[in-house]
Amino acid sequence: MAGILFIISAPSGSGKSTLVSQVRSLVEGLEFSISYTTRQPRGSEEDGREYHFINRAEFERMIAAGGFLEWAEVFGNYYGTAVAALAHAKAAGRDLLLDIDVQGAMQIMQKRPEAVSIFIMPPTPEVLERRLRNRSEAEKMTSEDVIGVRLREAQKELDRLREYRYAIVNDDLDVAVSEMKALVLTERGDPDADVALAATCLTSAGSPRLVHALESFKAAQ
Ligand code: ADP
Ligand code: 5GP
């Protein structure tokens, strides 16, 4: 089973971090790639746990040295996946999970077409806005600008959803966790996998929940 590369993308505030951390506690053998970023730590984040926090000069040195499998500029900061993350997961006999933005995901899909891509989407723009507000209040960083930029960016990212193999609508967290677990186990060929549930998440299946979510974002444009 080792060696599958899972790419996960989602508009900021969709609940991707929440979902991924629950799935990792339920599914063994999933290594999470800790990205490098030039943004400041948020809330209770720690260097080396959520991200490796470095400055722009250090990041640019890593780019020049070919240290990144992919990198992108998101909301004015650099983010990148270290080449070393892939080798590390392989050596440990684990699958690797990349939480990266749409630009980075497109780079990996080109370089590694066998990667399994998953897009997590919020059920409606109203729910996304509420989650962004709740989170920024919890982190005492309420900024209308930040929320507005992230909502507009979400609309753009959704245009690329069809390029991902799977899409999960994160409405009820328990349902979304079951779906993600099902598709990870299905991709591994695990006999315990709920293959039928995973199939409903194929982007090409166009489930009613996915269609409804996409329509609600279209209507808000
Ligand atoms: P992301 O990693 O996609 O930016 P987070 O995991 O930080 O998003 O989630 C954003 C906010 O939404 C958090 O406050 C989180 O607790 C909440 N959240 C995540 N998933 C759900 C869900 N299914 N239902 C309700 N709230 C959720
Ligand atoms: P945040 O600042 O909210 O943690 O992340 C902002 C965006 O950057 C998210 O869409 C997240 O998936 C993306 N991101 C995090 N790490 C990487 C990375 O290594 N590469 C790329 N391309 N995007 C990343």
Side-chain angles (χ1 to χ4, degrees):
M1 67 137 187
I4 303 176
L5 189 54
F6 291 98
I7 304 172
I8 309 221
S9 303
S12 179
S14 309
K16 177 180 52 180
S17 315
T18 310
L19 183 57
V20 165
S21 86
Q22 292 217 5
V23 170
R24 288 187 64 219
S25 68
L26 294 172
V27 178
E28 284 183 7
L30 266 185
E31 184 155 317
F32 180 71
S33 162
I34 301 170
S35 296
Y36 285 76
T37 184
T38 59
R39 84 149 160 77
Q40 292 298 311
R42 211 165 49 199
S44 59
E45 288 178 339
E46 278 179 29
D47 186 34
R49 192 178 65 190
E50 284 82 6
Y51 285 104
H52 298 291
F53 295 98
I54 60 175
N55 63 37
R56 286 184 86 87
E58 288 168 323
F59 199 101
E60 280 161 4
R61 271 200 295 278
M62 269 184 84
I63 297 175
F68 289 118
L69 191 59
E70 63 73 35
W71 64 271
E73 194 161 358
V74 187
F75 304 128
N77 288 300
Y78 286 137
Y79 291 81
T81 306
V83 172
L86 208 56
H88 186 270
K90 239 188 197 143
R94 293 153 76 89
D95 295 333
L96 187 65
L97 210 143
L98 306 182
D99 166 349
I100 58 178
D101 87 314
V102 169
Q103 306 168 72
M106 298 300 141
Q107 295 175 44
I108 303 272
M109 286 183 210
Q110 277 204 330
K111 283 188 192 163
R112 311 250 167 186
E114 74 285 2
V116 178
S117 51
I118 307 167
F119 195 95
I120 314 289
M121 74 172 296
T124 62
E126 293 76 21
V127 169
L128 177 60
E129 183 167 351
R130 199 178 326 128
R131 287 184 192 163
L132 284 169
R133 281 187 197 287
N134 286 344
R135 186 175 67 185
S136 54
E137 271 165 28
E139 290 167 355
K140 309 211 180 340
M141 299 196 348
T142 318
S143 153
E144 287 307 310
D145 283 358
V146 169
I147 290 171
V149 167
R150 290 186 180 223
L151 285 171
R152 281 192 295 280
E153 195 59 31
Q155 290 279 9
K156 275 198 265 164
E157 288 176 346
L158 287 176
D159 291 341
R160 313 299 299 267
L161 179 137
R162 301 228 172 263
E163 293 169 59
Y164 288 71
R165 187 179 303 173
Y166 293 104
I168 293 178
V169 180
N170 180 21
D171 189 352
D172 180 317
L173 185 61
D174 291 341
V175 173
V177 168
S178 303
E179 290 176 341
M180 189 162 155
K181 182 180 168 193
L183 66 85
V184 168
L185 296 186
T186 297
E187 289 291 337
R188 284 180 176 173
D190 187 310
D192 291 334
D194 187 339
V195 178
L197 183 60
T200 64
C201 302
L202 284 166
T203 309
S204 56
S207 76
R209 277 166 59 225
L210 179 59
V211 171
H212 180 268
L214 284 170
E215 279 173 357
S216 70
F217 274 89
K218 217 175 192 175
Q221 260 178 342

